[in-house]
Amino acid sequence: EYLRPESRTVGWLEPDGDGNGSGGSVTVVAFAPLPRFWGIGGPADGDGGTPARPFERAELGNGVGVLGQARPGEPSVAVRIRVEAGAMSEAPEQAGLATLTARTLIKGTSRRTASEVNEFTDGLGSSISADAGRFAAELSFRCLAEDLPAMLDLAGEMLREPSLPDD
């Protein structure tokens, strides 16, 4: 009864006092049911107007699944590319290999050094990162919508042609 999505709530708390941890109290600043906070079944991004569009699923010709949500008027795009290559795929004697490999992806490709990758993303005002969790490795980036093709090319290059430098 209590663990249903429509029963969840997100709240913002603000401490009273001088912030040094001694005394004081906490004031509830705002709260909202979680589905509305996430833009599910309610206003998108708290704008009080346009309902969020549903996520759409598609499958590319090569079998790769794509999940997306249109946000008209949003100037930026956030992309996460997940590969089933997390810690669960490691043998015990290889503990940490998934994280090391994922984090090394941003250290350059066969065509670009780490500095060149940084200069490229900085020049676009974009960011890119990679990490691994328990089940998957993830390459994520955020950029302006107009820079999406260039960032997708960079992400593809990082995944297909990582330099994996020895250091």
Side-chain angles (χ1 to χ4, degrees):
E1 173 180 345
Y2 300 104
L3 300 177
R4 297 183 313 227
E6 64 273 9
S7 297
R8 290 184 248 170
T9 302
V10 172
W12 291 265
L13 305 175
E14 215 171 72
D16 295 332
D18 59 13
N20 69 5
S22 61
S25 62
V26 175
T27 302
V28 175
V29 176
F31 69 92
L34 191 58
R36 292 182 76 77
F37 176 73
W38 276 346
I40 301 168
D45 296 326
D47 66 5
T50 312
R53 294 187 177 194
F55 281 91
E56 297 178 33
R57 293 179 188 270
E59 188 173 307
L60 302 179
N62 60 4
V64 172
V66 177
L67 180 65
Q69 181 185 41
R71 293 199 164 210
E74 178 68 33
S76 64
V77 176
V79 174
R80 282 191 257 176
I81 302 167
R82 289 188 177 159
V83 179
E84 289 182 33
M88 294 293 288
S89 303
E90 300 170 340
E93 64 274 6
Q94 295 177 320
L97 183 61
T99 299
L100 175 65
T101 303
R103 291 181 182 174
T104 305
L105 290 176
I106 62 170
K107 301 296 183 186
T109 70
S110 64
R111 294 186 258 166
R112 303 178 213 225
T113 65
S115 294
E116 290 170 330
V117 169
N118 286 335
E119 287 175 28
F120 180 78
T121 56
D122 288 351
L124 296 177
S126 302
S127 62
I128 192 163
S129 63
D131 210 346
R134 189 172 192 175
F135 300 105
E138 182 174 282
L139 182 71
S140 1
F141 65 85
R142 186 171 191 86
C143 64
L144 291 174
E146 63 207 42
D147 297 327
L148 180 60
M151 287 299 290
L152 282 171
D153 286 344
L154 175 62
E157 186 179 320
M158 293 171 112
L159 290 168
R160 288 189 304 264
E161 305 172 44
S163 62
L164 302 175
D166 290 338
D167 60 340

